[in-house]
Amino acid sequence: MILVCGEALVDLFVSVDPVNDVATEALLGGSPFNVAVGLSRLGARAAFFGGISTDPFGQAIGRKLAREGVALSFAKKSERLSTISVVATDANGQPSYAFHGEGKADRDITQADLPGPEHEFEAITVGSYTLAVPPVADALLALVQREAGRATISLDPNVRPTVTPDIKAWRSQFEAFLPYADIIKASEEDLRTGYGTACVPEDLIAGWLLRGPRLVVLTRGVHGASAFLRGQPEIRVDALPVKVADTVGAGDSFHAALLASLSKIGRLTRPRFMELEVADLRKAMNFAIAASSITCSRKGADLPTESDILAVMQPRFASGGAVRPDDPGTAGSEGSSR
């Protein structure tokens, strides 16, 4: 089982309506929420660990995760309210952002709420702002410290400056997790936001690889994605042309598909992950990048199933442009990531 740790929340989209003055649409979201759903849709056994409110929004979050097949046995029911992320658009289409998360359910996690050490996980993922806001960040750090060496630990920084505006403090908190991580999945935007526009991604990643992780995967938008496996040259995967509806959830889709692919080929348990070779990593990258391209073609964070992904990859099998997830070959590197 893969344990997905972090937040599940409500995205509230607000726009000016000429008749009713204000129009709203509420959608369930949160990066870890999306990853859990994505893993389950890809056939991986996923469990969600985080605070879920008993309010109506929280009940909807729980129902959605359950319908998607995500286990909730480790989730905490909290009497605190659900976090709401507000995206407001004015009459000219200009967005503004507000985040209502202080003291809410997704932060209501302490070390007393952690799954017991008797539970064994294939992998544990931790991501987004719950890496950096107390007390949940302290609890998750204690979890990865305890489980490092037993489970494969995967981090997605997914920097959110509207939630953690003190970037120096965010960076310090994120780097506290580095020695315990096996995988880091990040975007170029994450690196620019967290480390400044002048940072050189390859240099930063080289430093990370010396401090703990064995694998760092960097998504590069229309330029595809790169994988940096300790001791190996960079692996580049090109972008797959796609008509973009939006990029919401594309990074989460990539993360879920990467882990699901490694799990399916038996390379996600920590002993097997530590033996990961370039050929298997390339297969997982192609699978993940196809998944993210599908999510980009859909409105909202609508993550694909395995059959969706294989349908996209199949035309490239015939031309030799991509590698099947179960193909022992190593040729080809076509795909997409946002």
Side-chain angles (χ1 to χ4, degrees):
M1 178 174 284
I2 300 172
L3 184 68
V4 183
C5 308
E7 75 272 9
L9 51 77
V10 174
D11 289 312
L12 185 65
F13 295 88
V14 181
S15 59
V16 174
D17 184 297
V19 176
N20 300 316
D21 187 35
V22 173
T24 62
E25 181 181 15
L27 300 176
L28 306 180
S31 176
F33 171 91
N34 292 336
V35 170
V37 170
L39 284 167
S40 188
R41 289 186 180 182
L42 293 173
R45 292 180 62 222
F48 182 80
F49 173 56
I52 299 179
S53 178
T54 56
D55 70 11
F57 286 139
Q59 293 175 38
I61 288 168
R63 288 194 299 270
K64 172 66 173 176
L65 289 171
R67 283 197 305 270
E68 294 285 352
V70 177
L72 294 172
S73 53
F74 301 107
K76 177 182 178 179
K77 290 185 178 181
S78 174
E79 296 300 319
R80 299 185 185 184
L81 298 176
S82 297
T83 287
I84 298 177
S85 176
V86 179
V87 184
T89 306
D90 65 19
N92 297 317
Q94 293 299 312
S96 61
Y97 304 91
F99 194 83
H100 304 265
E102 190 69 34
K104 299 300 190 291
D106 51 15
R107 305 190 189 196
D108 187 21
I109 294 290
T110 68
Q111 292 189 40
D113 302 309
L114 297 180
E118 70 276 11
H119 298 288
E120 295 186 6
F121 301 105
E122 183 178 24
I124 296 174
T125 80
V126 184
S128 199
Y129 63 80
T130 45
L131 283 166
V133 296
V136 59
D138 300 326
L140 294 179
L141 180 57
L143 177 65
V144 300
Q145 287 172 331
R146 190 191 77 195
E147 294 296 321
R150 294 210 311 165
T152 299
I153 308 296
S154 184
L155 303 182
D156 179 1
N158 201 20
V159 188
R160 291 291 177 259
T162 54
V163 186
T164 55
D166 186 343
I167 293 300
K168 184 177 180 180
W170 172 87
R171 189 161 55 240
S172 176
Q173 183 65 35
F174 170 68
E175 292 185 355
F177 283 81
L178 280 178
Y180 311 102
D182 298 299
I183 302 170
I184 296 177
K185 174 266 157 193
S187 68
E188 287 185 319
E189 183 180 0
D190 289 328
L191 301 194
R192 288 193 298 268
T193 304
Y195 291 87
T197 56
C199 88
V200 179
E202 292 78 6
D203 292 345
L204 180 63
I205 289 169
W208 284 355
L209 291 172
L210 293 174
R211 298 173 61 185
R214 184 163 187 260
L215 172 64
V216 177
V217 177
L218 181 67
T219 57
R220 299 179 180 270
V222 296
H223 301 294
S226 296
F228 302 83
L229 184 65
R230 191 188 303 156
Q232 298 291 339
E234 176 186 354
I235 299 170
R236 292 296 296 262
V237 184
D238 295 331
L240 175 67
V242 62
K243 184 176 181 180
V244 176
D246 62 46
T247 62
V248 177
D252 304 328
S253 185
F254 186 101
H255 193 190
L258 179 72
L259 298 179
S261 180
L262 291 176
S263 178
K264 186 168 185 178
I265 62 176
R267 287 291 187 178
L268 190 58
T269 60
R270 195 170 189 280
R272 295 282 287 152
F273 173 77
M274 298 307 291
E275 300 172 350
L276 180 65
E277 298 178 349
V278 170
D280 286 335
L281 176 56
R282 190 181 294 276
K283 285 181 279 186
M285 289 284 288
N286 275 286
F287 190 74
I289 216 160
S292 62
S293 73
I294 293 170
T295 303
C296 286
S297 72
R298 300 170 173 178
K299 185 173 176 58
D302 184 5
L303 280 65
T305 64
E306 183 178 28
S307 61
D308 293 333
I309 297 172
L310 294 180
V312 167
M313 297 179 73
Q314 188 63 44
R316 296 186 176 269
F317 301 157
S319 64
V323 182
R324 295 179 68 101
D326 54 355
D327 189 340
T330 61
S333 60
E334 295 298 316
S336 171
S337 177
R338 298 294 296 183

